[in-house]
PDB file of all heavy atoms in Angstrom:
ATOM      1  N   LEU E 136     163.219 -36.058  55.654  1.00 91.00           N
ATOM      2  CA  LEU E 136     162.438 -34.829  55.761  1.00 91.00           C
ATOM      3  C   LEU E 136     162.860 -34.071  57.010  1.00 91.00           C
ATOM      4  O   LEU E 136     163.316 -34.666  57.987  1.00 91.00           O
ATOM      5  CB  LEU E 136     160.938 -35.150  55.799  1.00 91.00           C
ATOM      6  CG  LEU E 136     160.366 -35.810  54.542  1.00 91.00           C
ATOM      7  CD1 LEU E 136     158.943 -36.275  54.780  1.00 91.00           C
ATOM      8  CD2 LEU E 136     160.411 -34.861  53.357  1.00 91.00           C
ATOM      9  N   GLN E 137     162.655 -32.756  56.980  1.00 91.00           N
ATOM     10  CA  GLN E 137     163.051 -31.908  58.105  1.00 91.00           C
ATOM     11  C   GLN E 137     161.881 -31.686  59.052  1.00 91.00           C
ATOM     12  O   GLN E 137     160.756 -31.442  58.618  1.00 91.00           O
ATOM     13  CB  GLN E 137     163.567 -30.573  57.586  1.00 91.00           C
ATOM     14  CG  GLN E 137     164.106 -29.676  58.674  1.00 91.00           C
ATOM     15  CD  GLN E 137     164.727 -28.414  58.108  1.00 91.00           C
ATOM     16  OE1 GLN E 137     164.477 -28.027  56.975  1.00 91.00           O
ATOM     17  NE2 GLN E 137     165.535 -27.756  58.918  1.00 91.00           N
ATOM     18  N   ILE E 138     162.173 -31.750  60.360  1.00 91.00           N
ATOM     19  CA  ILE E 138     161.168 -31.462  61.392  1.00 91.00           C
ATOM     20  C   ILE E 138     160.980 -29.948  61.431  1.00 91.00           C
ATOM     21  O   ILE E 138     161.949 -29.201  61.588  1.00 91.00           O
ATOM     22  CB  ILE E 138     161.636 -31.964  62.784  1.00 91.00           C
ATOM     23  CG1 ILE E 138     161.859 -33.475  62.778  1.00 91.00           C
ATOM     24  CG2 ILE E 138     160.660 -31.535  63.872  1.00 91.00           C
ATOM     25  CD1 ILE E 138     160.622 -34.322  62.767  1.00 91.00           C
ATOM     26  N   ILE E 139     159.740 -29.481  61.281  1.00 91.00           N
ATOM     27  CA  ILE E 139     159.491 -28.042  61.356  1.00 91.00           C
ATOM     28  C   ILE E 139     158.775 -27.653  62.650  1.00 91.00           C
ATOM     29  O   ILE E 139     158.767 -26.489  63.019  1.00 91.00           O
ATOM     30  CB  ILE E 139     158.680 -27.533  60.143  1.00 91.00           C
ATOM     31  CG1 ILE E 139     157.336 -28.267  60.030  1.00 91.00           C
ATOM     32  CG2 ILE E 139     159.492 -27.645  58.869  1.00 91.00           C
ATOM     33  CD1 ILE E 139     156.363 -27.616  59.086  1.00 91.00           C
ATOM     34  N   GLU E 140     158.189 -28.643  63.331  1.00 90.00           N
ATOM     35  CA  GLU E 140     157.434 -28.351  64.539  1.00 90.00           C
ATOM     36  C   GLU E 140     157.390 -29.607  65.393  1.00 90.00           C
ATOM     37  O   GLU E 140     157.076 -30.684  64.893  1.00 90.00           O
ATOM     38  CB  GLU E 140     156.007 -27.973  64.108  1.00 90.00           C
ATOM     39  CG  GLU E 140     155.123 -27.384  65.136  1.00 90.00           C
ATOM     40  CD  GLU E 140     153.745 -27.090  64.527  1.00 90.00           C
ATOM     41  OE1 GLU E 140     153.671 -26.357  63.517  1.00 90.00           O
ATOM     42  OE2 GLU E 140     152.767 -27.620  65.059  1.00 90.00           O
ATOM     43  N   CYS E 141     157.759 -29.491  66.671  1.00 87.00           N
ATOM     44  CA  CYS E 141     157.618 -30.651  67.547  1.00 87.00           C
ATOM     45  C   CYS E 141     157.387 -30.191  68.982  1.00 87.00           C
ATOM     46  O   CYS E 141     157.756 -29.091  69.369  1.00 87.00           O
ATOM     47  CB  CYS E 141     158.800 -31.614  67.438  1.00 87.00           C
ATOM     48  SG  CYS E 141     160.357 -31.035  68.075  1.00 87.00           S
ATOM     49  N   GLU E 142     156.740 -31.045  69.739  1.00 82.00           N
ATOM     50  CA  GLU E 142     156.434 -30.744  71.137  1.00 82.00           C
ATOM     51  C   GLU E 142     157.720 -30.760  71.955  1.00 82.00           C
ATOM     52  O   GLU E 142     158.692 -31.415  71.587  1.00 82.00           O
ATOM     53  CB  GLU E 142     155.481 -31.808  71.699  1.00 82.00           C
ATOM     54  CG  GLU E 142     154.146 -31.877  71.006  1.00 82.00           C
ATOM     55  CD  GLU E 142     153.300 -33.038  71.514  1.00 82.00           C
ATOM     56  OE1 GLU E 142     153.840 -33.946  72.181  1.00 82.00           O
ATOM     57  OE2 GLU E 142     152.096 -33.029  71.238  1.00 82.00           O
ATOM     58  N   ASN E 143     157.685 -30.070  73.083  1.00 80.00           N
ATOM     59  CA  ASN E 143     158.810 -30.131  74.011  1.00 80.00           C
ATOM     60  C   ASN E 143     158.714 -31.415  74.815  1.00 80.00           C
ATOM     61  O   ASN E 143     157.626 -31.845  75.192  1.00 80.00           O
ATOM     62  CB  ASN E 143     158.795 -28.936  74.967  1.00 80.00           C
ATOM     63  CG  ASN E 143     159.144 -27.649  74.259  1.00 80.00           C
ATOM     64  OD1 ASN E 143     159.959 -27.647  73.342  1.00 80.00           O
ATOM     65  ND2 ASN E 143     158.533 -26.551  74.679  1.00 80.00           N
ATOM     66  N   ALA E 144     159.861 -32.018  75.079  1.00 71.00           N
ATOM     67  CA  ALA E 144     159.890 -33.236  75.883  1.00 71.00           C
ATOM     68  C   ALA E 144     159.841 -32.848  77.354  1.00 71.00           C
ATOM     69  O   ALA E 144     160.519 -31.922  77.777  1.00 71.00           O
ATOM     70  CB  ALA E 144     161.156 -34.022  75.586  1.00 71.00           C
ATOM     71  N   ALA E 153     158.151 -43.355  75.034  1.00 77.00           N
ATOM     72  CA  ALA E 153     159.084 -42.238  74.958  1.00 77.00           C
ATOM     73  C   ALA E 153     159.041 -41.613  73.572  1.00 77.00           C
ATOM     74  O   ALA E 153     160.001 -41.651  72.815  1.00 77.00           O
ATOM     75  CB  ALA E 153     160.486 -42.704  75.312  1.00 77.00           C
ATOM     76  N   SER E 154     157.892 -41.053  73.197  1.00 83.00           N
ATOM     77  CA  SER E 154     157.777 -40.382  71.907  1.00 83.00           C
ATOM     78  C   SER E 154     156.910 -39.141  72.039  1.00 83.00           C
ATOM     79  O   SER E 154     156.152 -38.992  73.000  1.00 83.00           O
ATOM     80  CB  SER E 154     157.202 -41.326  70.849  1.00 83.00           C
ATOM     81  OG  SER E 154     155.889 -41.681  71.168  1.00 83.00           O
ATOM     82  N   LYS E 155     157.058 -38.250  71.062  1.00 86.00           N
ATOM     83  CA  LYS E 155     156.274 -37.022  71.047  1.00 86.00           C
ATOM     84  C   LYS E 155     155.822 -36.753  69.619  1.00 86.00           C
ATOM     85  O   LYS E 155     156.342 -37.331  68.666  1.00 86.00           O
ATOM     86  CB  LYS E 155     157.109 -35.862  71.587  1.00 86.00           C
ATOM     87  CG  LYS E 155     158.376 -35.585  70.790  1.00 86.00           C
ATOM     88  CD  LYS E 155     159.203 -34.497  71.437  1.00 86.00           C
ATOM     89  CE  LYS E 155     160.484 -34.246  70.643  1.00 86.00           C
ATOM     90  NZ  LYS E 155     161.285 -33.191  71.226  1.00 86.00           N
ATOM     91  N   ASN E 156     154.843 -35.870  69.473  1.00 88.00           N
ATOM     92  CA  ASN E 156     154.312 -35.529  68.156  1.00 88.00           C
ATOM     93  C   ASN E 156     155.226 -34.528  67.464  1.00 88.00           C
ATOM     94  O   ASN E 156     155.777 -33.637  68.109  1.00 88.00           O
ATOM     95  CB  ASN E 156     152.913 -34.931  68.277  1.00 88.00           C
ATOM     96  CG  ASN E 156     151.918 -35.926  68.808  1.00 88.00           C
ATOM     97  OD1 ASN E 156     151.977 -37.108  68.472  1.00 88.00           O
ATOM     98  ND2 ASN E 156     151.013 -35.473  69.650  1.00 88.00           N
ATOM     99  N   ALA E 157     155.361 -34.689  66.137  1.00 90.00           N
ATOM    100  CA  ALA E 157     156.166 -33.765  65.345  1.00 90.00           C
ATOM    101  C   ALA E 157     155.540 -33.623  63.961  1.00 90.00           C
ATOM    102  O   ALA E 157     154.803 -34.496  63.502  1.00 90.00           O
ATOM    103  CB  ALA E 157     157.588 -34.272  65.223  1.00 90.00           C
ATOM    104  N   LYS E 158     155.852 -32.492  63.316  1.00 91.00           N
ATOM    105  CA  LYS E 158     155.372 -32.245  61.951  1.00 91.00           C
ATOM    106  C   LYS E 158     156.592 -31.998  61.072  1.00 91.00           C
ATOM    107  O   LYS E 158     157.504 -31.279  61.455  1.00 91.00           O
ATOM    108  CB  LYS E 158     154.457 -31.029  61.934  1.00 91.00           C
ATOM    109  CG  LYS E 158     153.786 -30.777  60.593  1.00 91.00           C
ATOM    110  CD  LYS E 158     153.015 -29.470  60.609  1.00 91.00           C
ATOM    111  CE  LYS E 158     151.539 -29.776  60.646  1.00 91.00           C
ATOM    112  NZ  LYS E 158     150.722 -28.561  60.524  1.00 91.00           N
ATOM    113  N   VAL E 159     156.587 -32.622  59.873  1.00 91.00           N
ATOM    114  CA  VAL E 159     157.698 -32.454  58.942  1.00 91.00           C
ATOM    115  C   VAL E 159     157.335 -31.433  57.869  1.00 91.00           C
ATOM    116  O   VAL E 159     156.184 -31.006  57.774  1.00 91.00           O
ATOM    117  CB  VAL E 159     158.135 -33.801  58.308  1.00 91.00           C
ATOM    118  CG1 VAL E 159     158.678 -34.745  59.363  1.00 91.00           C
ATOM    119  CG2 VAL E 159     156.998 -34.443  57.543  1.00 91.00           C
ATOM    120  N   ILE E 165     154.018 -37.086  62.580  1.00 91.00           N
ATOM    121  CA  ILE E 165     154.594 -38.371  62.979  1.00 91.00           C
ATOM    122  C   ILE E 165     154.913 -38.360  64.465  1.00 91.00           C
ATOM    123  O   ILE E 165     154.891 -37.312  65.105  1.00 91.00           O
ATOM    124  CB  ILE E 165     155.881 -38.689  62.171  1.00 91.00           C
ATOM    125  CG1 ILE E 165     156.939 -37.600  62.399  1.00 91.00           C
ATOM    126  CG2 ILE E 165     155.578 -38.867  60.703  1.00 91.00           C
ATOM    127  CD1 ILE E 165     158.295 -37.922  61.814  1.00 91.00           C
ATOM    128  N   LYS E 166     155.217 -39.533  64.998  1.00 90.00           N
ATOM    129  CA  LYS E 166     155.715 -39.679  66.375  1.00 90.00           C
ATOM    130  C   LYS E 166     157.222 -39.859  66.280  1.00 90.00           C
ATOM    131  O   LYS E 166     157.702 -40.657  65.472  1.00 90.00           O
ATOM    132  CB  LYS E 166     155.104 -40.912  67.051  1.00 90.00           C
ATOM    133  CG  LYS E 166     153.619 -40.824  67.278  1.00 90.00           C
ATOM    134  CD  LYS E 166     153.365 -40.213  68.617  1.00 90.00           C
ATOM    135  CE  LYS E 166     151.887 -40.372  68.979  1.00 90.00           C
ATOM    136  NZ  LYS E 166     151.539 -39.526  70.085  1.00 90.00           N
ATOM    137  N   VAL E 167     157.953 -39.101  67.111  1.00 89.00           N
ATOM    138  CA  VAL E 167     159.414 -39.190  67.124  1.00 89.00           C
ATOM    139  C   VAL E 167     159.894 -39.391  68.548  1.00 89.00           C
ATOM    140  O   VAL E 167     159.186 -39.059  69.503  1.00 89.00           O
ATOM    141  CB  VAL E 167     160.068 -37.921  66.511  1.00 89.00           C
ATOM    142  CG1 VAL E 167     159.719 -37.786  65.041  1.00 89.00           C
ATOM    143  CG2 VAL E 167     159.688 -36.679  67.280  1.00 89.00           C
ATOM    144  N   PRO E 168     161.129 -39.912  68.730  1.00 87.00           N
ATOM    145  CA  PRO E 168     161.689 -40.045  70.081  1.00 87.00           C
ATOM    146  C   PRO E 168     161.862 -38.663  70.731  1.00 87.00           C
ATOM    147  O   PRO E 168     161.939 -37.643  70.055  1.00 87.00           O
ATOM    148  CB  PRO E 168     163.046 -40.706  69.845  1.00 87.00           C
ATOM    149  CG  PRO E 168     162.928 -41.356  68.512  1.00 87.00           C
ATOM    150  CD  PRO E 168     161.976 -40.516  67.717  1.00 87.00           C
ATOM    151  N   LEU E 169     161.962 -38.640  72.062  1.00 85.00           N
ATOM    152  CA  LEU E 169     162.037 -37.386  72.810  1.00 85.00           C
ATOM    153  C   LEU E 169     163.258 -36.546  72.464  1.00 85.00           C
ATOM    154  O   LEU E 169     163.222 -35.320  72.597  1.00 85.00           O
ATOM    155  CB  LEU E 169     162.019 -37.684  74.320  1.00 85.00           C
ATOM    156  CG  LEU E 169     160.752 -38.356  74.845  1.00 85.00           C
ATOM    157  CD1 LEU E 169     160.905 -38.676  76.322  1.00 85.00           C
ATOM    158  CD2 LEU E 169     159.535 -37.484  74.617  1.00 85.00           C
ATOM    159  N   PHE E 170     164.356 -37.150  72.022  1.00 85.00           N
ATOM    160  CA  PHE E 170     165.584 -36.396  71.765  1.00 85.00           C
ATOM    161  C   PHE E 170     165.574 -35.614  70.452  1.00 85.00           C
ATOM    162  O   PHE E 170     166.448 -34.795  70.198  1.00 85.00           O
ATOM    163  CB  PHE E 170     166.816 -37.318  71.806  1.00 85.00           C
ATOM    164  CG  PHE E 170     166.762 -38.461  70.828  1.00 85.00           C
ATOM    165  CD1 PHE E 170     167.123 -38.287  69.501  1.00 85.00           C
ATOM    166  CD2 PHE E 170     166.351 -39.720  71.244  1.00 85.00           C
ATOM    167  CE1 PHE E 170     167.073 -39.336  68.601  1.00 85.00           C
ATOM    168  CE2 PHE E 170     166.303 -40.778  70.354  1.00 85.00           C
ATOM    169  CZ  PHE E 170     166.662 -40.596  69.028  1.00 85.00           C
ATOM    170  N   ILE E 171     164.587 -35.826  69.568  1.00 85.00           N
ATOM    171  CA  ILE E 171     164.513 -35.119  68.288  1.00 85.00           C
ATOM    172  C   ILE E 171     164.052 -33.674  68.532  1.00 85.00           C
ATOM    173  O   ILE E 171     163.113 -33.429  69.286  1.00 85.00           O
ATOM    174  CB  ILE E 171     163.545 -35.839  67.325  1.00 85.00           C
ATOM    175  CG1 ILE E 171     164.029 -37.257  66.999  1.00 85.00           C
ATOM    176  CG2 ILE E 171     163.336 -35.031  66.044  1.00 85.00           C
ATOM    177  CD1 ILE E 171     165.304 -37.324  66.206  1.00 85.00           C
ATOM    178  N   GLN E 172     164.720 -32.717  67.859  1.00 87.00           N
ATOM    179  CA  GLN E 172     164.421 -31.290  68.023  1.00 87.00           C
ATOM    180  C   GLN E 172     163.971 -30.673  66.697  1.00 87.00           C
ATOM    181  O   GLN E 172     164.156 -31.258  65.637  1.00 87.00           O
ATOM    182  CB  GLN E 172     165.684 -30.553  68.519  1.00 87.00           C
ATOM    183  CG  GLN E 172     166.227 -31.049  69.836  1.00 87.00           C
ATOM    184  CD  GLN E 172     165.261 -30.862  70.992  1.00 87.00           C
ATOM    185  OE1 GLN E 172     164.582 -29.843  71.073  1.00 87.00           O
ATOM    186  NE2 GLN E 172     165.175 -31.847  71.874  1.00 87.00           N
ATOM    187  N   ASN E 173     163.413 -29.462  66.765  1.00 89.00           N
ATOM    188  CA  ASN E 173     163.042 -28.706  65.565  1.00 89.00           C
ATOM    189  C   ASN E 173     164.256 -28.526  64.666  1.00 89.00           C
ATOM    190  O   ASN E 173     165.361 -28.304  65.146  1.00 89.00           O
ATOM    191  CB  ASN E 173     162.520 -27.321  65.945  1.00 89.00           C
ATOM    192  CG  ASN E 173     161.050 -27.331  66.300  1.00 89.00           C
ATOM    193  OD1 ASN E 173     160.347 -28.287  66.017  1.00 89.00           O
ATOM    194  ND2 ASN E 173     160.590 -26.271  66.924  1.00 89.00           N
ATOM    195  N   GLY E 174     164.052 -28.610  63.352  1.00 89.00           N
ATOM    196  CA  GLY E 174     165.122 -28.392  62.396  1.00 89.00           C
ATOM    197  C   GLY E 174     165.928 -29.632  62.052  1.00 89.00           C
ATOM    198  O   GLY E 174     166.713 -29.615  61.104  1.00 89.00           O
ATOM    199  N   GLU E 175     165.773 -30.724  62.793  1.00 90.00           N
ATOM    200  CA  GLU E 175     166.534 -31.951  62.511  1.00 90.00           C
ATOM    201  C   GLU E 175     165.961 -32.672  61.300  1.00 90.00           C
ATOM    202  O   GLU E 175     164.771 -32.625  61.027  1.00 90.00           O
ATOM    203  CB  GLU E 175     166.502 -32.900  63.716  1.00 90.00           C
ATOM    204  CG  GLU E 175     167.477 -32.530  64.790  1.00 90.00           C
ATOM    205  CD  GLU E 175     167.650 -33.650  65.808  1.00 90.00           C
ATOM    206  OE1 GLU E 175     168.079 -34.749  65.417  1.00 90.00           O
ATOM    207  OE2 GLU E 175     167.340 -33.401  66.984  1.00 90.00           O
ATOM    208  N   MET E 176     166.852 -33.366  60.580  1.00 92.00           N
ATOM    209  CA  MET E 176     166.442 -34.206  59.457  1.00 92.00           C
ATOM    210  C   MET E 176     166.209 -35.620  59.987  1.00 92.00           C
ATOM    211  O   MET E 176     167.034 -36.147  60.730  1.00 92.00           O
ATOM    212  CB  MET E 176     167.523 -34.238  58.379  1.00 92.00           C
ATOM    213  CG  MET E 176     167.776 -32.899  57.712  1.00 92.00           C
ATOM    214  SD  MET E 176     166.382 -32.294  56.756  1.00 92.00           S
ATOM    215  CE  MET E 176     166.444 -33.358  55.332  1.00 92.00           C
ATOM    216  N   VAL E 177     165.064 -36.202  59.622  1.00 92.00           N
ATOM    217  CA  VAL E 177     164.738 -37.561  60.049  1.00 92.00           C
ATOM    218  C   VAL E 177     164.421 -38.418  58.828  1.00 92.00           C
ATOM    219  O   VAL E 177     164.057 -37.911  57.774  1.00 92.00           O
ATOM    220  CB  VAL E 177     163.546 -37.590  61.041  1.00 92.00           C
ATOM    221  CG1 VAL E 177     163.905 -36.910  62.345  1.00 92.00           C
ATOM    222  CG2 VAL E 177     162.307 -36.964  60.446  1.00 92.00           C
ATOM    223  N   VAL E 178     164.563 -39.729  59.000  1.00 92.00           N
ATOM    224  CA  VAL E 178     164.241 -40.690  57.941  1.00 92.00           C
ATOM    225  C   VAL E 178     162.862 -41.268  58.253  1.00 92.00           C
ATOM    226  O   VAL E 178     162.606 -41.693  59.382  1.00 92.00           O
ATOM    227  CB  VAL E 178     165.299 -41.816  57.873  1.00 92.00           C
ATOM    228  CG1 VAL E 178     164.926 -42.841  56.827  1.00 92.00           C
ATOM    229  CG2 VAL E 178     166.673 -41.230  57.589  1.00 92.00           C
ATOM    230  N   ILE E 179     161.986 -41.270  57.248  1.00 92.00           N
ATOM    231  CA  ILE E 179     160.614 -41.751  57.419  1.00 92.00           C
ATOM    232  C   ILE E 179     160.338 -42.846  56.403  1.00 92.00           C
ATOM    233  O   ILE E 179     160.681 -42.711  55.223  1.00 92.00           O
ATOM    234  CB  ILE E 179     159.601 -40.594  57.248  1.00 92.00           C
ATOM    235  CG1 ILE E 179     159.875 -39.521  58.292  1.00 92.00           C
ATOM    236  CG2 ILE E 179     158.173 -41.107  57.349  1.00 92.00           C
ATOM    237  CD1 ILE E 179     159.085 -38.262  58.109  1.00 92.00           C
ATOM    238  N   TYR E 186     158.444 -42.830  61.747  1.00 89.00           N
ATOM    239  CA  TYR E 186     159.830 -42.451  61.983  1.00 89.00           C
ATOM    240  C   TYR E 186     160.720 -43.685  61.899  1.00 89.00           C
ATOM    241  O   TYR E 186     160.389 -44.740  62.419  1.00 89.00           O
ATOM    242  CB  TYR E 186     159.932 -41.806  63.371  1.00 89.00           C
ATOM    243  CG  TYR E 186     161.335 -41.588  63.877  1.00 89.00           C
ATOM    244  CD1 TYR E 186     162.056 -40.452  63.533  1.00 89.00           C
ATOM    245  CD2 TYR E 186     161.950 -42.521  64.738  1.00 89.00           C
ATOM    246  CE1 TYR E 186     163.348 -40.257  64.005  1.00 89.00           C
ATOM    247  CE2 TYR E 186     163.229 -42.322  65.205  1.00 89.00           C
ATOM    248  CZ  TYR E 186     163.922 -41.187  64.832  1.00 89.00           C
ATOM    249  OH  TYR E 186     165.185 -40.993  65.306  1.00 89.00           O
ATOM    250  N   SER E 187     161.869 -43.538  61.216  1.00 87.00           N
ATOM    251  CA  SER E 187     162.745 -44.674  61.037  1.00 87.00           C
ATOM    252  C   SER E 187     164.148 -44.414  61.593  1.00 87.00           C
ATOM    253  O   SER E 187     164.904 -45.343  61.788  1.00 87.00           O
ATOM    254  CB  SER E 187     162.832 -45.002  59.550  1.00 87.00           C
ATOM    255  OG  SER E 187     163.464 -46.213  59.338  1.00 87.00           O
ATOM    256  N   GLY E 188     164.483 -43.145  61.817  1.00 86.00           N
ATOM    257  CA  GLY E 188     165.796 -42.826  62.361  1.00 86.00           C
ATOM    258  C   GLY E 188     166.200 -41.412  62.006  1.00 86.00           C
ATOM    259  O   GLY E 188     165.503 -40.708  61.285  1.00 86.00           O
ATOM    260  N   ARG E 189     167.375 -41.022  62.507  1.00 85.00           N
ATOM    261  CA  ARG E 189     167.927 -39.711  62.157  1.00 85.00           C
ATOM    262  C   ARG E 189     168.601 -39.809  60.789  1.00 85.00           C
ATOM    263  O   ARG E 189     169.134 -40.846  60.419  1.00 85.00           O
ATOM    264  CB  ARG E 189     168.986 -39.292  63.178  1.00 85.00           C
ATOM    265  CG  ARG E 189     168.414 -38.655  64.408  1.00 85.00           C
ATOM    266  CD  ARG E 189     169.546 -38.224  65.294  1.00 85.00           C
ATOM    267  NE  ARG E 189     169.101 -37.278  66.311  1.00 85.00           N
ATOM    268  CZ  ARG E 189     169.726 -37.056  67.418  1.00 85.00           C
ATOM    269  NH1 ARG E 189     170.839 -37.718  67.709  1.00 85.00           N
ATOM    270  NH2 ARG E 189     169.279 -36.180  68.298  1.00 85.00           N
ATOM    271  N   ALA E 190     168.601 -38.692  60.079  1.00 79.00           N
ATOM    272  CA  ALA E 190     169.239 -38.660  58.753  1.00 79.00           C
ATOM    273  C   ALA E 190     170.724 -38.414  58.894  1.00 79.00           C
ATOM    274  O   ALA E 190     171.202 -37.864  59.835  1.00 79.00           O
ATOM    275  CB  ALA E 190     168.608 -37.579  57.894  1.00 79.00           C
TER     276      ALA E 190
END
Side-chain angles (χ1 to χ4, degrees):
L136 296 171
Q137 185 175 19
I138 299 286
I139 58 166
E140 191 181 304
C141 69
E142 298 174 345
N143 289 325
S154 65
K155 60 184 179 179
N156 295 322
K158 186 186 253 186
V159 296
I165 60 172
K166 294 270 191 194
V167 296
L169 297 176
F170 58 82
I171 298 293
Q172 301 297 321
N173 276 345
E175 280 193 61
M176 295 294 286
V177 294
V178 177
I179 300 172
Y186 169 85
S187 190
R189 277 183 164 158

